[in-house]
Amino acid sequence: MEHAVQLYSFFNSSTSYRVRIALALKGLAADYRGVNIRTGEHRAPGYAELNPSRVVPTLVDGDFSLGQSMAILDYLDQRVPEPRLIPQEPRLRARVLELANVIACDMHPVNNLRILKYLQGPLGLSAAQKDAWYAHWAAEGFEAVERLLALHGSGPWCFGDQPTAADVCLVPQVANALRAGCDLAPYTRVMAVHAHAQQHPAFIAARPQAQPDHQP
Ligand SMILES: N[C@@H](CCC(=O)N[C@@H](CS)C(=O)NCC(=O)O)C(=O)O
């Protein structure tokens, strides 16, 4: 890309974290625009023109703005093909998307902030009930990811010796679950990939604590 893109992101947002890893892997500079989803900045007038779903992340590339982290990963692969996040070889591509979709489609949506707020607000669940919900769906998801890695994975990344969209999704989801106090020790393959990623410069640069809007 010939110019810097803008990334609308929240430091603790796992979907933003996916895109931050992708940008760093591809060596792309991004102007960081913090959007505080805890205080509702994503619902402020104007933001919906950039991101109709009123969520983070949003990537802005010149006059083109794009929401949905998985669409952003695909766009970045099309614009800057190497290193590829979504491989071209059909079966590897399918495996990477299979694992990434467990996280992006099955895990993340049910434990997203607005869902948890709705459980505790309109539905009147207690904090303990909300935490039980979170732990239940995190366990269901990580069990699936662990089984996928056992059947088809090959380290040190999810699928071989290069990070892909599978790792880009897995690492932020682990960070979310650890922050929520989930016990991830049973998922040894998941945690081995996570530990490996902690040594990689792109994954280090993308961590929540390295972002300009980070709050303790
Ligand atoms: N499927 C969307 C989900 C985006 C999303 O929900 N982002 C969360 C942060 S991880 C958010 O902005 N949540 C705001 C809210 O729940 O109100 C994507 O992958 O980009």
Side-chain angles (χ1 to χ4, degrees), residues 10 12-19 35 37-38 40 42-43 47 51 53-58 66-72 104-105 108-109 111-117 173 176 179:
F10 183 59
N12 253 352
S13 147
S14 60
T15 51
S16 303
Y17 193 174
R18 293 175 196 162
V19 175
V35 179
I37 62 172
R38 285 184 190 150
H42 56 308
R43 295 190 163 263
Y47 184 67
N51 186 316
S53 302
R54 301 198 296 178
V55 289
V56 286
T58 304
L66 183 65
Q68 291 296 334
S69 60
M70 302 312 286
I72 296 171
C105 302
H108 176 270
N111 278 343
N112 198 4
L113 179 64
R114 60 189 160 180
I115 306 302
L116 302 178
K117 279 186 165 176
Q173 203 64 35
N176 270 8
R179 199 170 67 244

Side-chain angles (χ1 to χ4, degrees), residues 34-111:
V35 179
N36 190 332
I37 62 172
R38 285 184 190 150
T39 60
E41 285 180 4
H42 56 308
R43 295 190 163 263
Y47 184 67
E49 287 166 29
L50 291 177
N51 186 316
S53 302
R54 301 198 296 178
V55 289
V56 286
T58 304
L59 184 83
V60 177
D61 179 15
D63 60 0
F64 179 72
S65 74
L66 183 65
Q68 291 296 334
S69 60
M70 302 312 286
I72 296 171
L73 299 191
D74 185 54
Y75 177 73
L76 293 175
D77 255 1
Q78 300 304 314
R79 294 301 308 269
V80 181
E82 296 298 334
R84 289 197 72 85
L85 305 170
I86 304 171
Q88 279 179 310
E89 193 282 316
R91 291 189 175 184
L92 179 58
R93 175 186 182 84
R95 283 287 171 236
V96 165
L97 290 175
E98 181 183 31
L99 194 151
N101 280 332
V102 171
I103 295 169
C105 302
D106 297 349
M107 295 181 75
H108 176 270
V110 292
N111 278 343

